[in-house]
Amino acid sequence: MIRDGYVARWLGREFEAVPGADGDVRLYTPEPTDGFEELRPGRYRRVVPASEIEDLRYVRTVCTWRGEPFIVVGEHESWLRVEYAGGRAPVAERLGLDRIDHGVWQAWAPRHEVLDVREELV
């Protein structure tokens, strides 16, 4: 599973989360859960005060591709969408990456070429 976003621990369970500027945290789950409202099939939400959250962290999936560090930002079938995390434009250009924005370089990488896929707490 590729994750890139906040996760919160609430009542001993981990949820996908979005902290709000209002001091609340929105928790999400793919299955019906007591106290969660259905937003659409497979997506349920509950808003809880930040004071009730046991832990809130940002998790992202990182990897190595062609010997360089990347963040995994998406996936489709046997491909991973990777974003270069090395910060060196000449390396990104040498790798043939697509320039998305200033300093942002991405590519579709065959999953079998991507090494050391792991989650990192930020």
Side-chain angles (χ1 to χ4, degrees), residues 60-122:
R60 66 180 176 188
T61 304
V62 297
C63 67
T64 302
W65 182 51
R66 297 182 178 173
E68 297 293 337
F70 284 84
I71 300 167
V72 181
V73 295
E75 61 184 324
H76 180 72
E77 296 176 357
S78 62
W79 296 85
L80 294 177
R81 185 70 175 172
V82 294
E83 183 172 300
Y84 178 55
R88 295 177 18 220
V91 172
E93 290 170 355
R94 177 178 50 80
L95 293 171
L97 305 178
D98 300 322
R99 183 175 178 199
I100 305 302
D101 200 352
H102 179 72
V104 180
W105 301 83
Q106 294 183 353
W108 282 103
R111 188 182 296 265
H112 71 275
E113 291 182 7
V114 177
L115 305 174
D116 195 24
V117 178
R118 66 196 182 285
E119 286 191 347
E120 177 180 273
L121 297 174
V122 179

Side-chain angles (χ1 to χ4, degrees), residues 19-65:
D22 57 4
D24 291 333
V25 177
R26 283 136 190 87
L27 304 177
Y28 296 91
T29 182
E31 67 272 342
T33 304
D34 285 342
F36 283 68
E37 65 176 310
E38 183 176 22
L39 301 174
R40 64 178 185 274
R43 185 79 163 159
Y44 299 82
R45 177 184 68 195
R46 180 170 182 156
V47 180
V48 299
S51 61
E52 293 183 18
I53 300 297
E54 298 159 15
D55 188 37
L56 179 67
R57 295 183 183 197
Y58 194 92
V59 175
R60 66 180 176 188
T61 304
V62 297
C63 67
T64 302
W65 182 51

